[in-house]
């Protein structure tokens, strides 16, 4: 048995381990309707797929941001019911960007437990190229918790290590340029306000700006790929 994404289904214990929570937590979220029911397999065993993993990761991210259970329920109700795992992952990335960088230092065994699979040296090298992990001391790594899930999803994408590094340089260069220009634009708006007003404006603008950048980038990338594919088909 495999899921629609071609991955082997998970038991509730495996789902909990993949998400770094307890089985009790999974059952609690399911009981509140935050997680869809599993597919029931042989011997009445529940099977969970990528959608459950992505949704559980989003719930945990919202919880870590300090949202109440009621607020999480409202957030999830606003999402399209058929949102695929990668769509949930995008939402989680946006939510994670509201908080300060969350880096941890973990041994390789714990890193592999969190991603739910053994990691080869090539996997580690690719994650390092994406700046998701950084070798720290011996067999331990500094991990960007906000990027880890997305980085793991990209491990099997057929891109060379050189392409990953080049793509990261492009993203860093242009995101810094955009951040610099936006900061310059907003600086004039807050120049005459007191510190509390500045903090309030920053807290409200940060998620809005991130969402706007994400939406604009997705649209631009889709248009670029469409033009490229159209040109390839007629060339």
């Amino acid at each position: 048995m495999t899921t629609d994404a071609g991955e082997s289904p998970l038991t509730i214990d495996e789902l909990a381990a993949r998400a770094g929570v307890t089985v009790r937590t999974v059952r609690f979220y399911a009981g509140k309707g935050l997680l869809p029911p599993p597919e029931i397999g042989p011997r009445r065993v529940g099977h969970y797929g990528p959608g459950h993993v992505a949704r559980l990761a989003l719930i945990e991210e919202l919880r870590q941001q300090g949202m109440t259970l009621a607020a999480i329920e409202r957030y999830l109700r606003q999402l399209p019911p058929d949102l695929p795992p990668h769509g949930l992952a995008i939402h989680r990335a946006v939510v994670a960007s509201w908080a300060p960088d969350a880096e941890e230092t973990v041994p390789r065994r714990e890193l592999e437990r969190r991603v739910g699979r053994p990691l080869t040296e090539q996997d580690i090298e690719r994650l390092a190229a994406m700046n998701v992990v950084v070798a720290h001391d011996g067999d331990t790594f500094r991990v960007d918790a906000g990027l880890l899930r997305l980085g793991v999803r990209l491990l099997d994408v057929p891109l060379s290590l050189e392409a990953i590094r080049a793509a990261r340089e492009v993203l860093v260069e242009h995101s810094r340029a955009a951040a610099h220009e936006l900061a310059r634009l907003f600086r004039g708006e807050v120049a005459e306000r007191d510190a509390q007003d500045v903090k309030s404006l920053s807290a409200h603008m940060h998620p809005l700006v991130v969402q706007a950048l994400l939406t604009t980038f997705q649209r631009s990338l889709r248009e670029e790929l469409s033009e490229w594919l159209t040109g390839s088909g007629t060339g």
Side-chain angles (χ1 to χ4, degrees):
M1 177 180 177
T2 57
T3 64
D4 292 340
E7 299 180 18
S8 298
L10 305 172
T11 65
I12 190 170
D13 296 276
E14 292 169 334
L15 174 64
R18 179 78 64 90
V21 301
T22 65
V23 170
R24 182 178 179 180
T25 297
V26 175
R27 288 180 173 145
F28 174 77
Y29 290 149
K32 292 292 185 180
L34 302 181
L35 284 176
E39 180 180 338
I40 303 301
R43 294 180 291 179
R44 304 294 298 170
V45 175
H47 293 288
Y48 299 84
H52 293 93
V53 175
R55 194 174 180 90
L56 186 53
L58 175 58
I59 292 169
E60 282 297 289
E61 190 65 57
L62 292 169
R63 187 186 62 78
Q64 290 175 19
Q65 295 296 325
M67 292 182 68
T68 64
L69 187 62
I72 293 174
E73 289 177 322
R74 288 194 298 270
Y75 185 99
L76 295 178
R77 278 201 301 270
Q78 295 173 2
L79 300 180
D82 57 348
L83 191 65
H86 73 269
L88 291 167
I90 288 174
H91 273 269
R92 180 174 178 269
V94 172
V95 171
S97 71
W98 301 351
D101 294 339
E103 283 194 349
E104 300 177 71
T105 301
V106 299
R108 183 170 184 147
R109 184 174 181 179
E110 171 63 14
L111 177 61
E112 292 181 336
R113 188 192 71 80
R114 293 189 184 189
V115 304
R117 61 186 265 185
L119 295 173
T120 65
E121 292 304 317
Q122 184 180 29
D123 290 336
I124 295 293
E125 192 174 12
R126 289 171 73 84
L127 289 173
M130 291 182 265
N131 207 35
V132 175
V133 303
V134 177
H136 179 58
D137 182 22
D139 207 27
T140 63
F141 300 88
R142 286 204 309 274
V143 181
D144 187 320
L147 291 177
L148 181 58
R149 294 290 179 196
L150 292 175
V152 171
R153 292 179 65 85
L154 291 173
L155 284 179
D156 299 321
V157 175
L159 285 174
S160 68
L161 193 61
E162 291 73 19
I164 291 174
R165 287 173 175 155
R168 178 171 172 266
E169 288 179 5
V170 169
L171 290 172
V172 169
E173 177 184 353
H174 290 280
S175 61
R176 282 177 177 168
H180 176 76
E181 289 302 314
L182 288 170
R184 183 182 62 80
L185 180 65
F186 293 134
R187 194 174 295 125
E189 295 293 318
V190 302
E192 303 302 324
R193 305 188 187 190
D194 61 33
Q196 190 59 41
D197 285 341
V198 172
K199 289 181 180 179
S200 177
L201 180 63
S202 176
H204 285 84
M205 289 303 298
H206 191 182
L208 293 176
V209 169
V210 170
Q211 183 65 67
L213 286 171
L214 178 63
T215 301
T216 303
F217 176 74
Q218 287 178 311
R219 185 179 297 119
S220 299
L221 183 59
R222 187 164 54 245
E223 290 172 355
E224 287 288 335
L225 290 175
S226 177
E227 291 177 6
W228 174 62
L229 290 173
T230 300
S232 299
T234 58

